[in-house]
Amino acid sequence: MKRPTIADVARRAGVSKGAVSYALNGQPGVSEATRRRILAIAEEIGFSPSSAARALSGATAKAVGLALCRPARILGIEPFFMELISGVEAELSARSYALTLQVVADQAAEIAVYRRWWAERRVDGVFVCDLRLDDARVPVLEELRLPAVVIGGPGHTGTLASVWSDDAAALVETVEYLVALGHRRIARVGGLPELLHTRLRTEAFERVCRDLGLAGAVTVPSDYSGEEGARATRRLLSSPNRPSAVIYDNDVMAIAGLSVAQEMGLAVPGDLSIVAWDDSPLCQLVHPPLTALGRDIPAYGAQAARHLLAAIAGEPVGTLQDETAHLTPRGSTAPPRGSTAPPRER
């Protein structure tokens, strides 16, 4: 897809390039009606005057973009994205690249940001997070031919490069560990259900629970915040078939769940075992310290940055599988009261 030029605007508006320049820069020389028409055409075709000098010189922006469709209040407290960005920044700064970060309200706003960055040549490439099934961002980035790396998967990335980790395998390992301890009533507090990695985790959880004969295994969706994690935990612990173990899709919700269990008079791990996803330092600051699934998130971000810089340089890039999260048992998991943890058949 060819970037629009001032000549394209002039041709669409039926005026000279000089008249377009006057209109875009707010200078006299055109009528107000003509100015409005030119501005409307420029917006329609995605032309920005601020890109003109860079377009003429052929210079790169020496920056990459990351647009995040998450509430700012959640981004501020969720360690995962802070660690991911730290890894990205470390790799980019070593190559004299900058990271342009923007928080957006929805996917339509995110796509508009990509189009604006592309039209204004603000970035040389972008990271795409929180992949969805039939994600509308993928065909837009393919159309713009803007170098991009999807952080997530596998699959559903079109022709875009990606870096991903096998969340399904990590979840299976966690459930098998809890079953080996003797747990038969296991629940999960998941993340945003529309996200691909949430769906993959949910499918893996349901599959392994079915294979192991665990009746009543349930996933309660949430939004990764402590408030929603606490609400989901109260719902689970107030049910007639209260779980003896809960897996949380991030550390913030797991810590909130620990607080709710203690509030309700349940001992952790005696009455309830807790496992957190994303083993941040927070998991070791609470009592008892949380059993957690963890991997090197800064290294994951650095890997994604190297992949994107290679794509910007025109090198062939594709799908890259990063390390699978590993389970670190701590004080929040133990056999349920009265359990002898009988051997399992597989």
Side-chain angles (χ1 to χ4, degrees), residues 85-137:
I85 290 171
S86 73
V88 167
E89 282 278 21
E91 191 66 29
L92 293 180
S93 62
R95 305 275 286 273
S96 299
Y97 265 79
L99 177 66
T100 299
L101 175 65
Q102 184 157 345
V103 177
V104 296
D106 51 40
Q107 196 173 84
E110 185 174 342
I111 289 173
V113 166
Y114 293 147
R115 291 190 181 279
R116 176 167 56 81
W117 281 347
W118 171 82
E120 297 177 1
R121 297 177 183 259
R122 292 286 184 89
V123 299
D124 299 323
V126 296
F127 298 106
V128 180
C129 291
D130 291 340
L131 190 67
R132 295 161 171 80
L133 288 176
D134 301 319
D135 200 306
R137 297 170 297 175

Side-chain angles (χ1 to χ4, degrees), residues 89-309:
E89 282 278 21
E91 191 66 29
L92 293 180
S93 62
R95 305 275 286 273
S96 299
Y97 265 79
L99 177 66
T100 299
L101 175 65
Q102 184 157 345
V103 177
V104 296
D106 51 40
Q107 196 173 84
E110 185 174 342
I111 289 173
V113 166
Y114 293 147
R115 291 190 181 279
R116 176 167 56 81
W117 281 347
W118 171 82
E120 297 177 1
R121 297 177 183 259
R122 292 286 184 89
V123 299
D124 299 323
V126 296
F127 298 106
V128 180
C129 291
D130 291 340
L131 190 67
R132 295 161 171 80
L133 288 176
D134 301 319
D135 200 306
R137 297 170 297 175
V138 172
V140 169
L141 290 169
E142 290 174 329
E143 173 196 2
L144 296 176
R145 300 182 69 182
L146 182 63
V149 167
V150 177
I151 301 177
H156 306 279
T157 60
T159 60
L160 303 183
S162 67
V163 177
W164 65 284
S165 178
D166 192 348
D167 284 2
L171 196 82
V172 168
E173 177 192 359
T174 303
V175 173
E176 290 180 339
Y177 164 73
L178 291 172
V179 169
L181 289 177
H183 292 278
R184 305 295 297 175
R185 299 189 310 279
I186 302 173
R188 173 171 160 264
V189 177
L192 296 164
E194 65 269 22
L195 302 184
L196 177 64
H197 72 262
T198 302
R199 181 170 296 204
L200 292 174
R201 292 179 185 183
T202 300
E203 291 174 352
F205 178 70
E206 292 174 348
R207 184 170 57 251
V208 68
C209 288
R210 185 172 58 250
D211 291 345
L212 295 176
L214 304 181
V218 63
T219 291
V220 179
S222 187
D223 67 355
Y224 297 111
S225 70
E227 295 85 355
E228 285 298 314
R231 188 173 294 114
T233 303
R234 287 191 189 93
R235 174 180 163 188
L236 287 169
L237 299 185
S238 300
S239 66
N241 295 316
R242 187 182 74 203
S244 64
V246 181
I247 303 168
Y248 292 84
D249 265 19
N250 76 350
D251 45 4
V252 173
M253 294 194 298
I255 292 169
L258 172 64
S259 178
V260 168
Q262 293 169 341
E263 163 196 310
M264 296 178 68
L266 298 177
V268 176
D271 299 314
L272 179 71
S273 285
I274 290 177
V275 179
W277 208 293
D278 300 331
D279 187 9
S280 74
L282 293 177
C283 292
Q284 299 182 57
L285 295 177
V286 295
H287 181 76
L290 298 182
T291 295
L293 281 160
R295 53 197 166 99
D296 192 337
I297 302 300
Y300 189 46
Q303 184 76 272
R306 287 192 293 271
H307 216 43
L308 181 55
L309 292 174

